[in-house]
Amino acid sequence: RLDLAPLDVHGLQAILDRRFAPHALPPELAPALVRYSGGWPALLANAAADLMAAECLRRDDQDVWHLPEGTTSPAFVEIVSSALFDEVDAELARIEDADLRGRVSRFLVLAALCGRYVPLALPFACMGLTKDQGNDVIDWLDEVLAEQLGWMHDMGFGHRFFRGFNVYSFAHPVLPHAILARLAASEYQRAGEAVTLLRFLEHQNVRVAERAMARMFLSIAEHLDPKDREPYERSLEWWISLGGVDALRGALREDLQSGRLDPELLWRIAEGAESWRALPRLALLDAYGEAVLVGSGDEDEGPRLSPDRWFGFHSLRARLLVVDAGRYAEGLAEAERAMALAEGDDVKTSYALWLRGAAKQRVGDYDAARSDLETALDICERLYVGPNLSTSSVQVALAQTLQAQKDYQGAREMTTAALETCRRLLGPEHPETLRVKLNLEAALSASGETDDAQKLALETLEAFVRVLGPEHPSTINAMEIWGRALIGGGNLQGARDLIEPALPVRQRLFGPEHPGTLVTQANLAKVLLAQGELKEARGLAEETLGAMERVLGPEHPEALEIAEVLDEISAAEREASEEN
């Protein structure tokens, strides 16, 4: 029997000694297996001999033992799946009711396609099971797969999209692959069942509103052919991780240099990947830029690309750097390059002016930003008749600049006009409409209209949760803005309860020195100061000021504001010292 219980190094060494004779294997093998298997080493230990025979487990010249790169590699799954599944197969054969046996078998296939975490209501709904039929399957799962074999666990909670049954998890990520290897061996069968699940999800209008849901969609789509799988990977990649950007950039360079990847294809992917996070998308653009600059012929001639392509390249990099990545100085330089390529074309000029104005606004050069944005708005109003999104984007950026210059009435009027356009063209709960509503909240809050600002902030946050889910970056931003609105209303603890959990999420999504992360830290420092937690407030404020001076410069308005907070902390500390 393959034991799936977690073991420490000593327990694993005992298994190895029983299986292969005492001390037959090098002593470093057990620690290597423990490190690799994430707490489930016994499964690997029992298959170690087969892994060695298949050269999946090997020792290098430095006597370091190497296991497969992934526990789901085909060779690994082939070795362990038969031995693993024999236990389940024997229990399936004991089910006397043929209908129930068929339901359990198909359920196992659909569950395995979902990946490690399975909302039971999803396969049950796809199979058209009644509540009683679903309960019969669950009884078997609980008795055999959970209690007897330890393959699955009841997580103890449901899912808002799949009501009526709990979410279960497989005890090890290789177990779904073992099921598929035996019950759905052909790629055709797996693809057919995967299509069934995905069509059901889309028919039910299930939105990807959290990371676990994105993983499930990608796990199912993994079994489609590459052409059908690609849209899911393109649209959901950003949910999974921001890590590996450098590795992605390096892999793209290798593929381009070897000829495995066509630069033109890479450009189309970078241009069309609107749902990707900024950093992975910038990696695509960087690799493309390097490829066309190096591989474009004579260096003196420069890259043989059209001005339109170069404008698209520089303007896209500028937008990602300024709007998403928070690298304002680089974004401003890219916007200047786009501006130089836009000469004589009003559409390109207005777009480049919007990018340059937005970048200048973010580096604190408000007068220059206002000039660019007002010129861009004049061009848009001349080019377009009636409401359009190009004009509204410029209006939002100009409103932010006006607010920074303390022209609160102008900011409010400009944002209101942009909001009306978005409502008419996109709908009241489109994410872009909701983002403009947050800008209106900021204008109301800055002008002292606290009650209206609080009402708008809460209303927008609730809409973001409905539309994009609780983990989306826009929802996190709305949550923090609601927290700032509570500060204005004097509800410090309520504000802290919203801003404090937003900080680690921002750090994970954008990095510790992204300007948005630093603003969140500054807001938390203000709350801590107001609550009298001076030591914590000072530590956070000093850390934030140092980072802001590095990232934005010592004269940036945000850096000057957090410096003022530090002065307030010092004053509060002196006052507390005098009282003592």
Side-chain angles (χ1 to χ4, degrees):
R1 184 182 186 280
L2 293 178
D3 186 2
L4 289 176
L7 295 172
D8 59 15
V9 172
H10 300 295
L12 178 57
Q13 188 64 57
I15 288 180
L16 291 171
D17 288 346
R18 289 198 303 272
R19 177 80 184 263
F20 300 106
H23 311 299
L25 298 174
E28 64 268 21
L29 176 58
L33 287 166
V34 170
R35 285 195 307 272
Y36 178 80
S37 60
W40 300 97
L43 181 145
L44 297 177
N46 279 278
D50 295 331
L51 290 169
M52 290 174 181
E55 297 185 348
C56 289
L57 181 64
R58 56 185 178 79
R59 185 166 53 181
D60 64 18
D61 295 338
Q62 284 73 42
D63 285 337
V64 176
W65 283 84
H66 296 273
L67 289 153
E69 292 185 0
T71 55
T72 58
S73 66
F76 183 85
V77 172
E78 183 180 353
I79 289 167
V80 301
S81 61
S82 294
L84 274 174
F85 198 78
D86 282 345
E87 296 180 319
V88 178
D89 221 5
E91 294 301 327
L92 282 173
R94 292 191 181 99
I95 301 176
E96 296 181 359
D97 185 336
D99 289 339
L100 176 58
R101 186 165 60 249
R103 287 196 296 271
V104 170
S105 296
R106 183 158 187 241
F107 163 81
L108 289 174
V109 171
L110 295 175
L113 289 170
C114 291
R116 189 163 184 183
Y117 300 96
V118 186
L120 297 192
L122 172 58
F124 288 170
C126 284
M127 294 165 64
L129 299 187
T130 66
K131 183 81 172 178
D132 289 341
Q133 289 172 331
N135 285 331
D136 288 342
V137 174
I138 289 177
D139 289 342
W140 186 87
L141 292 182
D142 288 339
E143 180 182 343
V144 176
L145 232 57
E147 296 178 14
Q148 184 177 330
L149 301 179
W151 273 44
M152 294 191 86
H153 304 303
D154 183 349
M155 302 293 286
F157 58 83
H159 192 283
R160 62 196 182 100
F161 278 125
F162 308 107
R163 301 189 182 278
F165 299 97
N166 280 355
V167 175
Y168 277 52
S169 71
F170 284 100
H172 191 280
V174 80
L175 298 177
H177 295 271
I179 288 172
L180 294 173
R182 285 290 291 271
L183 292 181
S186 76
E187 293 182 4
Y188 178 80
Q189 183 181 356
R190 295 184 194 186
E193 294 287 24
V195 168
T196 299
L197 283 169
L198 291 168
R199 284 181 178 170
F200 175 82
L201 290 166
E202 289 159 2
H203 179 71
Q204 296 295 315
N205 196 28
V206 174
R207 294 190 181 101
V208 177
E210 53 209 18
R211 205 169 298 274
M213 184 69 72
R215 289 194 185 99
M216 188 182 74
F217 266 82
L218 289 173
S219 177
I220 298 169
E222 176 187 333
H223 301 281
L224 304 178
D225 65 56
K227 180 181 177 182
D228 294 331
R229 183 172 66 243
E230 189 270 339
Y232 294 97
E233 293 176 338
R234 185 178 66 242
S235 64
L236 298 176
E237 179 274 345
W238 76 269
W239 277 102
I240 304 307
S241 174
L242 279 182
V245 172
D246 289 337
L248 171 63
R249 188 180 290 109
L252 290 170
R253 285 172 180 154
E254 289 182 9
D255 286 349
L256 287 164
Q257 290 169 2
S258 67
R260 291 191 298 269
L261 179 61
D262 178 16
E264 190 62 25
L265 174 61
L266 182 57
W267 166 254
R268 291 201 301 271
I269 294 172
E271 187 181 33
E274 287 293 334
S275 60
W276 280 34
R277 300 292 299 143
L279 293 181
R281 201 172 177 194
L282 281 168
L284 302 187
L285 287 174
D286 291 345
Y288 172 78
E290 291 174 11
V292 297
L293 284 168
V294 173
S296 58
D298 199 52
E299 289 186 7
D300 294 334
E301 295 179 12
R304 298 183 185 126
L305 293 177
S306 69
D308 284 346
R309 173 61 59 80
W310 271 130
F311 176 83
F313 174 80
H314 291 301
S315 61
L316 180 53
R317 282 201 92 238
R319 178 162 66 86
L320 293 173
L321 289 166
V322 172
V323 178
D324 296 305
R327 288 152 53 180
Y328 303 141
E330 288 180 69
L332 179 56
E334 288 291 324
E336 294 284 11
R337 295 184 184 102
M339 192 73 208
L341 291 162
E343 187 176 354
D345 187 315
D346 281 347
V347 174
K348 289 180 181 177
T349 299
S350 65
Y351 188 60
L353 283 167
W354 168 64
L355 291 169
R356 192 172 72 177
K360 288 178 177 178
Q361 185 258 325
R362 283 166 171 78
V363 299
D365 189 356
Y366 300 132
D367 290 337
R370 182 170 181 169
S371 176
D372 276 352
L373 293 168
E374 286 178 340
T375 304
L377 185 59
D378 287 341
I379 295 173
C380 286
E381 289 175 343
R382 194 170 67 247
L383 285 174
Y384 307 111
V385 177
N388 67 90
L389 296 178
S390 296
T391 302
S392 68
S393 296
V394 176
Q395 288 172 325
V396 168
L398 181 54
Q400 292 170 332
T401 304
L402 294 174
Q403 183 175 317
Q405 293 182 315
K406 303 190 186 312
D407 182 358
Y408 301 129
Q409 185 59 32
R412 179 175 178 174
E413 291 174 358
M414 197 65 64
T415 309
T416 301
L419 181 58
E420 288 304 313
T421 296
C422 290
R423 278 175 172 158
R424 180 186 296 188
L425 298 181
L426 301 174
E429 289 204 342
H430 188 281
E432 190 58 36
T433 305
L434 298 177
R435 292 183 190 106
V436 178
K437 284 181 73 173
L438 289 179
N439 281 278
L440 181 57
E441 183 280 337
L444 293 173
S445 181
S447 61
E449 299 175 62
T450 306
D451 291 341
D452 289 341
Q454 284 195 27
K455 180 180 177 182
L456 191 62
L458 179 57
E459 174 187 305
T460 309
L461 172 59
E462 291 172 343
F464 267 123
V465 172
R466 284 195 305 274
V467 173
L468 296 177
E471 294 186 16
H472 194 281
S474 294
T475 306
I476 298 299
N477 188 48
M479 185 169 71
E480 186 181 347
I481 288 174
W482 170 232
R484 292 206 298 266
L486 291 180
I487 294 175
N491 184 354
L492 296 177
Q493 188 56 48
R496 181 172 179 173
D497 291 342
L498 290 164
I499 295 173
E500 198 165 36
L503 180 56
V505 177
R506 282 201 182 275
Q507 289 171 334
R508 188 184 79 237
L509 291 176
F510 302 107
E513 292 202 345
H514 188 283
T517 305
L518 299 178
V519 169
T520 301
Q521 285 185 188
N523 288 327
L524 182 55
K526 294 173 189 174
V527 174
L528 293 171
L529 167 62
Q531 290 186 314
E533 298 185 30
L534 301 182
K535 182 179 179 181
E536 293 79 2
R538 172 172 287 282
L540 194 59
E542 288 176 345
E543 177 187 341
T544 305
L545 178 59
M548 280 189 173
E549 288 180 341
R550 286 193 302 275
V551 174
L552 300 174
E555 298 303 316
H556 192 279
E558 296 285 359
L560 295 175
E561 185 175 343
I562 194 63
E564 290 177 3
V565 171
L566 268 172
D567 291 340
E568 292 177 31
I569 293 171
S570 297
E573 288 172 336
R574 286 194 298 271
E575 184 178 339
S577 178
E578 290 170 1
E579 289 178 358
N580 290 334

